């Protein structure tokens, strides 16, 4: 029996969407428990646990090992936060007044920034190649 490709594509896209929802909620609050994530996102606690385990396994999330900030009765919950070294973004700011390149981690911390001196009389592709080459020196 062959799977319907539309169903698997829909399931795959829902999983991606749910991961994005969880990551956005954690990024917004900086750290949050799984139970709070369930409330914030509307996803079941089982779904939150599965998604968080996957994101921890690929090192995009980390568990906070200091649950002392928990004020709820009962078993202390473990907060989750975006891993500082889980993913990085290379950003270019190329405008008429300034040009720069920066490296940012998934938490939004700027790790490195460098001003660029680009020649705008050059073709756009060459300008982008020069900016990309500058990223090797961050």
């Amino acid at each position: 029996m062959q799977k319907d490709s539309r169903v698997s594509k829909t399931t795959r896209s829902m999983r991606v969407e749910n991961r994005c929802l969880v990551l956005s909620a954690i990024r917004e609050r900086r750290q949050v428990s799984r139970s709070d994530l369930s409330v914030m996102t509307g996803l079941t606690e089982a779904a939150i646990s599965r998604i968080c385990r996957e994101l921890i396994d690929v090192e995009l999330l980390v568990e906070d090992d200091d649950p002392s900030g928990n004020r709820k009765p009962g078993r202390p919950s473990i907060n989750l936060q975006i891993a500082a070294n889980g993913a990085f973004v290379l950003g270019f700011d190329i405008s008429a007044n300034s040009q720069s390149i920066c490296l940012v981690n998934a938490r939004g911390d700027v790790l490195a920034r460098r001003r660029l001196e680009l020649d705008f009389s050059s073709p756009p592709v060459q300008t982008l190649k020069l900016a990309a080459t500058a990223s090797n020196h961050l």
Side-chain angles (χ1 to χ4, degrees):
M1 184 178 204
Q2 188 175 10
K3 275 187 173 179
D4 185 349
S5 64
R6 290 175 296 170
V7 172
S8 67
K9 188 171 188 174
T10 302
T11 302
R12 200 173 317 121
S13 63
M14 282 180 58
R15 284 185 177 178
V16 169
E17 187 175 315
N18 288 342
R19 283 187 203 116
C20 289
L21 186 63
V22 167
L23 285 169
S24 293
I26 296 171
R27 188 174 18 257
E28 180 181 305
R29 296 258 309 260
R30 290 294 229 178
Q31 61 179 14
V32 63
S33 70
R34 287 172 177 82
S35 60
D36 288 343
L37 274 174
S38 179
V39 172
M40 291 169 67
T41 62
L43 297 171
T44 65
E45 288 192 18
I48 291 294
S49 290
R50 180 185 51 75
I51 291 166
C52 290
R53 175 56 38 215
E54 291 170 356
L55 294 172
I56 289 169
D57 288 347
V58 297
E59 300 179 353
L60 287 176
L61 288 183
V62 292
E63 292 179 327
D64 184 3
D65 53 2
D66 181 19
S68 62
N70 294 314
R71 305 258 188 257
K72 297 178 184 175
R75 185 175 149 197
S77 58
I78 296 173
N79 286 323
L80 298 158
Q81 54 187 294
I82 303 291
N85 295 325
F88 301 92
V89 174
L90 192 59
F92 296 96
D93 173 17
I94 302 175
S95 66
N97 298 323
S98 68
Q99 304 87 43
S100 63
I101 183 172
C102 67
L103 179 66
V104 180
N105 68 14
R107 290 183 181 174
D109 304 320
V110 176
L111 304 175
R113 181 184 307 265
R114 181 174 180 213
R115 289 188 47 78
L116 300 173
E117 299 294 330
L118 300 175
D119 179 7
F120 286 110
S121 64
S122 301
V125 172
Q126 185 177 352
T127 300
L128 287 175
K129 284 181 182 179
L130 289 170
T133 300
S135 69
N136 293 328
H137 304 288
L138 279 178

